[in-house]
Amino acid sequence: MKYCRVFRYSLSIFLIWASVITVWAQETKPIINASLVGTVVDATTKDPIEGATVQLEAVTHSVKTDRNGRFSFVTGQKLPFKLTVTSVGYATQNLVIEKSPVVIELHRSTEDLDEVVVVGYTTIAKKNLIGAVDRVSQQAVKDIPTGSFDAQLQGKVAGMQVAASTGIPGEALHVRLRGATSINADNNPLYVIDGVFLNSESLQTINTGGKATSPIADLSPSDIEYVEVLKDAEATALYGSRGANGVILITTKRGKNSQSAKIDVNLYSGRGKAAKLWELTTGPEHAELVNEYFRNIGQAEPFRPVADGGRGLPSEQQTYDRLSEAFRTAGVHNADLSVYGGSENTAYYLSAGYNKQESILKPISFDRASFRFNLDQKVNNNLKIGSSNSISRTGRNQARAGDGPRGGLLQTALHTPTYLSPYNDQGVLVGRAGFDNLTLLLDNYDIGSTSLRYIGNVYGEYQISPTLKFRSTFSVDHNNYNEHEYWNNLLIEGSPNGLATSAISQSTTWINEQTLTYRKKLDSRHTIGALLGNTLQGSYFSLTSAEGRGFATNDFTLISAAATTTSNQDWNQYKLASFFGRLDYAFDDKYLLDFSLRADGSSKFNKGYQWGYFPAVGVAWRLSKENFLQDVSFLDDLKLKTSYGLTGNQNGINPFASRQLWSGVGSSYRGVAGIAPEQLANQELSWETTSQFNVGLDAALLNNRLTTSLNYYYKYTKDGLLTVVLPGTTGFSDFTNNAVEISNKGFELSISSVNINSDVFSWNTSLNIARNINNIEKLETPQNYGSRNLIQFKEGHPMYSFWVYNQLYVDPQTGDAVYEDVDGDGRITTDDRQILGSIWPDYFGGISNDFSYKNFDLNTFFTFSVGNKIYNHNRFFGEAGGARDAARIIFKSNLDRWQQPGDITDVPRSDGVNNNNYKDGGGRWLEDGSYLRFRTLSLGYNFTAKSLGKLPLSKLRVYAQATNLFTITKYTGLDPESASSSAANQQGIDLGTPPQPRSFQLGINLTF
């Protein structure tokens, strides 16, 4: 009964309340004069914008767009009416709406001065930035078909040189920021991904002709949100010894709080091939050149009738095209899937990707499977924790595609004379002229590697007070690199009974960091900030390798099956302890000042020399805030900035370079192990230090439609780390010393403009151009590197200078090459070699144009380099005429040789008497490497929300892209960026290197 009374009472209250509501609703029913349904999208990409605010003018009513960019509301106003649409990162739109439904396009802010930039363990608004920092959105370049993301940055950053020295995907690149500062130490920038310091040194030990794999290729470009390039000392100072060569900060994609789950799918597939190949003589032409050579030296022609003991007449020779057999049309395939979103307290990003690329040179290929999971969790109002994790498996089918004839693919294809059949008289495939048979080589190549890599960190962040924040991170970069090769007895390298090698390398770098950040706005005009931090870092490397010779048959390839085996084991490690701090002050966002100091202690040096101290100071003046410029209507921002600081370098040298080392020697005498001295100690070895001065000007004009940045810098490196050669009488070959000084100076100019920006059509342009002048200020003894000592490092000249004989002309009367007799002794000797140019260009950069028309988007991107030299070593071997018949190769350019008095040419007569005609290191093969390259052309179409209908898609874009469409250059080789070696001190020599392919691909981007 009690429960019945309660029920009746409750029901009575409900009925009374319902009656009141009904009457009120009838009395207050709104007059609906109009309803609005619409979609807010990005004006360029046509992607839906989630979370945009749509505000009806003169009322408080507003709505936000959903995950598909859609919104709707009803209003008592009549059409037309006014709307204000806002979203972070986009320019505000004020619109007059006359009908429903409607599609509203928002344009991205051209240069958002309040955009936050990551700089040295902290963030800062771009308007208050003092250092030289460039940001690149990976969205625009992630689909360029390269093995690693650093190749995609070529031409995108002023002052950053990226030399894609080969057409093999996943190979190491030469990346230089503001020149090079060290001969033997590492010149690569520091890569930091989500706070994790990456190991960018290749773990490869197997010989592939001077080439090396790129550890950067283990990262999936599709996971990258943006890349920031820190160039001057003010920006890199907090990285201390790690920042001497610049810093590349990589920020990966993350989910957003209060964002509904989204699924992105990115697919593309394409084909690539060489734009051109070397022009070789035909079989008859080759034979005729050989005959001419033998006539010139007074010997019988080898190509004469078989009945007379010859090889047959030149006209009877066949032509065998080995280049077409070695090269192919290569496929490239990519698939990426990501899921991201978040609740009020949790944000997540999960992705998986697969990339497979064939090289245009058989049988080389590259494939990468990658997984990433990023998580950010708000525990409470003050505590936040999170993690970034990526794991990748990178596989490579490799080959010798650089210098060296034994097993070299291009040497085999190029250097075997075109008239020689791949078969002997018995119809069996055989090698010729000292090289492998190309068909056998391609069918029996067995070189490969697999990299399993984990890169990740965990962090905790506690907001102690509104102005004080503590953050702690622990990160790991672990790489397990497994490589193998097997040469069977059909190949020269495997003769007579097979050769197998195997190596397993493991590299681990761990870092623990703590930072305490303070930032407070004292009043409307004064802001101060402070940062204190410390870093503990350890790096460990181990290598175990084995070799086996002599196998029963080619069916057994494991080293355990070999008749004789040898093994090797190696390891090294080092530790680094660091403390750093930063103070900054801003007055009215007009006058900016910061000071930083970092102390690094390295185990690579002895006591008393372990610690290096690296300060930096920067100031900036925002002139546009001054009263005398307030009336300049076209000026939005103008900032003058300057900085000076020191950075250090200890990378690239052995962790025990300062110590005296002894090594164990197995079976040194009658099977008894022993020990022997291995390295001479250098107790005073210390830090390589680079000072850098920078002055720059940043400007934004015409409502931010034109922005520009100009920087001038001067870098000077002292106590440069150098491997010094010792006399044999010391019992040691070399030791590491501080023995070189190097300078770099130059300028960088970046310009971005919004040329047209209408509702239907837009056109944006970005241009960057830079110049760097490198010089060795102090070096006691010249250092020679590269094949034939073609690269020389000499005091008073740039690094990577070419040391050659200067060919002046070919004597029209004799056909002999005439060289400059530098010492005037009447003979051409080594003393007559001289430096003629270097790898450094006078200017380099890139220019990009982005167009959009309705739902179409078009991008064109060019890169250029002016004034650099490249040594065409392929021509040295290919222009030796018949003089090198035994050494195989003859280029078609030999047909322009001198043949009779009066001939004007730069190709001398075929002559075995005057060896100067084909002198090793001749300057005739040093060429201008300037180029203008059409890097990418991309055309896309974005389907509108209306056209997608009821499909569960918020975005659908299809596109076509072409890469390396053409290159304008005077260089006679295949690719003006080619380099035969990945070694840091060997660049600019083109020998046996496949070019970058010209590729075409189709792709699709979907968002669910």
Side-chain angles (χ1 to χ4, degrees):
M1 296 295 294
K2 177 180 179 182
Y3 292 108
C4 291
R5 287 196 300 271
V6 173
F7 174 75
R8 289 197 300 269
Y9 179 74
S10 300
L11 179 60
S12 300
I13 294 177
F14 173 77
L15 292 174
I16 295 171
W17 179 248
S19 300
V20 173
I21 293 295
T22 301
V23 173
W24 179 83
Q26 290 175 348
E27 294 177 349
T28 60
K29 183 177 180 180
I31 299 174
I32 302 175
N33 290 320
S35 64
L36 179 63
V37 177
T39 306
V40 180
V41 299
D42 185 292
T44 301
T45 66
K46 310 306 179 186
D47 292 345
I49 301 174
E50 180 180 5
T53 301
V54 182
Q55 172 78 50
L56 185 62
E57 189 180 74
V59 298
T60 59
H61 182 58
S62 67
V63 296
K64 288 187 177 291
T65 55
D66 64 14
R67 64 188 302 272
N68 297 313
R70 297 169 183 162
F71 68 92
S72 65
F73 59 75
V74 296
T75 176
Q77 297 188 31
K78 295 182 179 180
L79 286 169
F81 47 77
K82 295 181 180 181
L83 285 182
T84 299
V85 186
T86 59
S87 183
V88 177
Y90 291 87
T92 299
Q93 282 272 44
N94 295 307
L95 305 168
V96 176
I97 303 300
E98 297 181 349
K99 62 180 181 178
S100 176
V102 64
V103 176
I104 301 172
E105 296 185 347
L106 297 186
H107 294 272
R108 289 188 178 274
S109 301
T110 307
E111 189 71 17
D112 188 354
L113 295 179
D114 292 318
E115 179 185 9
V116 173
V117 179
V118 180
V119 181
Y121 300 95
T122 187
T123 58
I124 189 169
K126 183 176 290 186
K127 64 184 179 182
N128 292 332
L129 187 63
I130 299 176
V133 180
D134 284 0
R135 171 178 284 193
V136 180
S137 171
Q138 197 68 6
Q139 185 66 30
V141 298
K142 66 181 178 64
D143 294 328
I144 298 177
T146 62
S148 57
F149 83 89
D150 48 354
Q152 297 173 338
L153 298 179
Q154 185 182 39
K156 291 294 184 180
V157 178
M160 181 177 177
Q161 289 178 275
V162 181
S165 57
T166 176
I168 297 176
E171 290 287 339
L173 308 177
H174 294 294
V175 180
R176 301 290 179 261
L177 277 171
R178 294 186 167 183
T181 60
S182 183
I183 294 179
N184 288 135
D186 191 5
N187 280 305
N188 288 318
L190 169 66
Y191 295 88
V192 182
I193 179 168
D194 293 335
V196 183
F197 288 26
L198 297 187
N199 176 18
S200 59
E201 296 181 11
S202 175
L203 300 182
Q204 179 178 323
T205 63
I206 287 178
N207 176 21
T208 53
K211 295 298 182 181
T213 56
S214 170
I216 303 301
D218 295 335
L219 303 176
S220 174
S222 64
D223 287 332
I224 298 175
E225 182 76 23
Y226 55 83
V227 175
E228 288 170 326
V229 181
L230 283 55
K231 296 180 287 189
D232 71 330
E234 192 278 339
T236 64
L238 287 187
Y239 294 99
S241 64
R242 306 301 305 274
N245 303 310
V247 180
I248 296 179
L249 299 180
I250 307 154
T251 301
T252 62
K253 297 175 181 177
R254 311 189 81 85
K256 297 180 180 178
N257 295 111
S258 302
Q259 180 188 59
S260 56
K262 291 187 177 183
I263 301 175
D264 281 352
V265 179
N266 177 35
L267 305 170
Y268 68 75
S269 182
R271 293 290 184 270
K273 63 184 301 182
K276 66 175 182 176
L277 294 175
W278 295 274
E279 292 187 84
L280 306 180
T281 52
T282 64
E285 291 169 341
H286 191 126
E288 182 55 49
L289 287 168
V290 172
N291 276 355
E292 181 179 320
Y293 164 74
F294 278 88
R295 287 196 303 269
N296 288 342
I297 64 175
Q299 295 185 18
E301 298 177 350
F303 290 94
R304 59 185 188 275
V306 175
D308 295 338
R311 306 176 188 174
L313 294 173
S315 60
E316 298 173 345
Q317 306 306 310
Q318 300 295 313
T319 301
Y320 298 95
D321 183 6
R322 290 177 173 83
L323 287 179
S324 294
E325 184 180 0
F327 284 86
R328 66 184 170 189
T329 299
V332 55
H333 311 281
N334 185 85
D336 297 308
L337 171 69
S338 61
V339 182
Y340 55 96
S343 63
E344 182 180 354
N345 295 318
T346 304
Y348 61 89
Y349 175 86
L350 177 66
S351 73
Y354 181 74
N355 181 277
K356 181 175 178 60
Q357 300 185 45
E358 294 176 326
S359 170
I360 56 175
L361 183 63
K362 301 175 184 175
I364 303 172
S365 64
F366 167 91
D367 68 89
R368 176 186 60 235
S370 60
F371 304 89
R372 172 167 288 277
F373 178 58
N374 292 345
L375 178 68
D376 301 284
Q377 176 69 44
K378 295 180 181 177
V379 179
N380 54 44
N381 291 334
N382 295 327
L383 179 61
K384 181 179 180 181
I385 60 175
S387 179
S388 300
N389 305 272
S390 73
I391 185 169
S392 62
R393 186 266 186 199
T394 305
R396 292 175 171 89
N397 189 19
Q398 295 172 274
R400 294 184 180 178
D403 197 0
R406 296 171 67 92
L409 282 172
L410 287 182
Q411 282 80 359
T412 298
L414 276 173
H415 289 253
T416 305
T418 54
Y419 68 84
L420 280 179
S421 171
Y423 299 91
N424 63 13
D425 295 339
Q426 290 74 40
V428 178
L429 289 169
V430 293
R432 299 296 187 114
F435 288 89
D436 284 296
N437 180 282
L438 180 62
T439 303
L440 289 176
L441 191 61
L442 292 174
D443 290 343
N444 293 278
Y445 236 114
D446 188 6
I447 300 180
S449 66
T450 302
S451 171
L452 291 175
R453 192 169 189 183
Y454 170 79
I455 301 171
N457 72 357
V458 292
Y459 75 86
E461 189 174 279
Y462 189 78
Q463 194 75 40
I464 301 173
S465 71
T467 60
L468 190 62
K469 180 171 65 177
F470 175 77
R471 181 182 175 94
S472 180
T473 65
F474 184 84
S475 62
V476 173
D477 177 5
H478 177 75
N479 192 356
N480 185 296
Y481 189 82
N482 192 336
E483 52 188 338
H484 72 275
E485 62 179 339
Y486 180 77
W487 301 88
N488 65 33
N489 61 9
L490 299 176
L491 308 176
I492 295 176
E493 191 79 330
S495 178
N497 296 310
L499 166 66
T501 66
S502 177
I504 298 178
S505 303
Q506 294 193 65
S507 172
T508 302
T509 299
W510 62 265
I511 297 178
N512 174 236
E513 292 184 323
Q514 283 69 230
T515 58
L516 188 62
T517 306
Y518 175 82
R519 182 158 299 280
K520 184 175 179 59
K521 194 172 184 65
L522 301 179
D523 53 35
S524 61
R525 308 187 76 181
H526 301 273
T527 303
I528 60 172
L531 171 73
L532 289 176
N534 84 290
T535 297
L536 300 175
Q537 176 182 338
S539 180
Y540 179 84
F541 168 81
S542 67
L543 167 67
T544 302
S545 61
E547 177 184 291
R549 290 182 180 272
F551 292 83
T553 72
N554 289 329
D555 295 324
F556 295 94
T557 62
L558 296 180
I559 294 176
S560 59
T564 60
T565 62
T566 57
S567 61
N568 181 54
Q569 192 173 16
D570 191 15
W571 71 274
N572 63 60
Q573 67 176 2
Y574 73 90
K575 291 182 172 62
L576 188 73
S578 308
F579 301 90
F580 52 88
R582 173 190 173 104
L583 293 172
D584 63 84
Y585 168 75
F587 174 74
D588 200 25
D589 285 341
K590 183 191 305 185
Y591 308 113
L592 311 170
L593 170 68
D594 67 37
F595 173 79
S596 62
L597 175 65
R598 175 159 176 147
D600 284 321
S602 173
S603 65
K604 292 185 178 182
F605 306 118
N606 288 314
K607 291 183 178 179
Y609 299 91
Q610 290 181 326
W611 286 92
Y613 301 92
F614 309 108
V617 62
V619 295
W621 176 24
R622 292 186 65 200
L623 289 85
S624 54
K625 297 280 287 183
E626 296 291 355
N627 292 332
F628 59 82
L629 289 178
Q630 292 301 303
D631 295 331
V632 182
S633 59
F634 63 84
L635 182 64
D636 301 306
D637 193 60
L638 182 63
K639 179 172 60 180
L640 179 65
K641 60 186 181 181
T642 186
S643 65
Y644 177 82
L646 303 179
T647 50
N649 194 6
Q650 48 128 24
N651 300 321
I653 64 171
N654 189 292
F656 309 115
S658 64
R659 304 173 187 272
Q660 183 176 1
L661 298 181
W662 292 73
S663 63
V665 182
S667 302
S668 61
Y669 178 70
R670 294 182 179 181
V672 178
I675 59 173
E678 180 177 310
Q679 177 178 284
L680 188 65
N682 181 359
Q683 300 288 341
E684 297 180 352
L685 187 67
S686 62
W687 291 89
E688 178 179 286
T689 304
T690 298
S691 62
Q692 182 173 185
F693 167 77
N694 188 91
V695 59
L697 186 69
D698 297 337
L701 312 169
L702 305 175
N703 197 24
N704 288 324
R705 294 188 61 165
L706 178 64
T707 61
T708 182
S709 179
L710 175 64
N711 285 282
Y712 169 81
Y713 62 89
Y714 180 75
K715 298 169 63 176
Y716 195 94
T717 301
K718 297 182 65 176
D719 299 324
L721 296 165
L722 180 70
T723 301
V724 180
V725 177
L726 295 173
T729 55
T730 64
F732 299 92
S733 59
D734 54 53
F735 81 122
T736 305
N737 197 16
N738 301 103
V740 64
E741 296 182 6
I742 297 170
S743 67
N744 288 273
K745 60 182 178 181
F747 76 88
E748 302 158 351
L749 174 64
S750 299
I751 301 175
S752 296
S753 64
V754 179
N755 307 314
I756 299 175
N757 189 15
S758 69
D759 293 335
V760 178
F761 179 71
S762 67
W763 171 25
N764 300 336
T765 300
S766 297
L767 166 71
N768 71 82
I769 185 172
R771 172 177 172 82
N772 181 75
I773 300 174
N774 177 272
N775 189 60
I776 300 175
E777 303 289 344
K778 177 184 176 182
L779 181 62
E780 184 175 340
T781 304
Q783 307 286 312
N784 296 328
Y785 302 95
S787 180
R788 273 76 175 177
N789 290 329
L790 290 170
I791 300 294
Q792 186 175 77
F793 291 64
K794 185 178 182 180
E795 185 175 308
H797 295 272
M799 301 168 63
Y800 311 106
S801 292
F802 292 102
W803 189 50
V804 297
Y805 300 95
N806 184 23
Q807 179 178 317
L808 301 175
Y809 55 89
V810 171
D811 191 325
Q813 300 305 312
T814 65
D816 290 333
V818 178
Y819 295 89
E820 183 178 356
D821 185 7
V822 176
D823 60 6
D825 65 355
R827 299 177 301 121
I828 301 301
T829 65
T830 305
D831 292 335
D832 296 309
R833 294 182 75 161
Q834 55 184 304
I835 289 178
L836 294 177
S838 71
I839 69 165
W840 301 105
D842 295 328
Y843 304 96
F844 63 95
I847 181 170
S848 176
N849 283 281
D850 292 282
F851 306 90
S852 70
Y853 175 71
K854 294 185 176 179
N855 296 333
F856 290 93
D857 59 82
L858 175 70
N859 170 265
T860 63
F861 177 45
F862 291 83
T863 60
F864 60 87
S865 179
V866 180
N868 55 293
K869 297 292 186 180
I870 182 171
Y871 196 88
N872 193 339
H873 216 174
N874 291 307
R875 275 185 59 205
F876 163 71
F877 290 107
E879 287 189 356
R884 299 189 64 85
D885 175 49
R888 319 91 170 143
I889 181 176
I890 300 183
F891 280 179
K892 219 172 187 66
S893 55
N894 279 273
L895 300 178
D896 296 328
R897 71 209 176 279
W898 184 96
Q899 298 180 70
Q900 60 186 7
D903 285 349
I904 305 298
T905 179
D906 66 346
V907 182
R909 68 197 296 263
S910 297
D911 189 353
V913 177
N914 185 356
N915 294 326
N916 285 338
N917 282 352
Y918 303 99
K919 197 169 190 63
D920 265 2
R924 180 174 45 157
W925 300 292
L926 183 63
E927 300 186 35
D928 183 3
S930 304
Y931 67 86
L932 173 66
R933 170 163 280 163
F934 196 166
R935 184 77 165 105
T936 57
L937 171 66
S938 179
L939 175 64
Y941 181 81
N942 300 272
F943 289 85
T944 63
K946 181 178 180 181
S947 64
L948 294 175
K950 296 183 179 180
L951 291 175
L953 296 174
S954 58
K955 169 187 174 182
L956 173 59
R957 176 179 182 264
V958 294
Y959 66 93
Q961 182 167 273
T963 307
N964 298 328
L965 272 78
F966 63 78
T967 303
I968 300 174
T969 181
K970 294 181 179 179
Y971 180 58
T972 62
L974 302 188
D975 193 332
E977 294 184 64
S978 291
S980 61
S981 175
S982 297
N985 47 23
Q986 299 179 42
Q987 298 180 40
I989 302 175
D990 181 10
L991 177 61
T993 304
Q996 297 179 70
R998 177 184 295 160
S999 63
F1000 300 89
Q1001 66 198 65
L1002 298 174
I1004 183 170
N1005 305 130
L1006 307 102
T1007 299
F1008 294 88

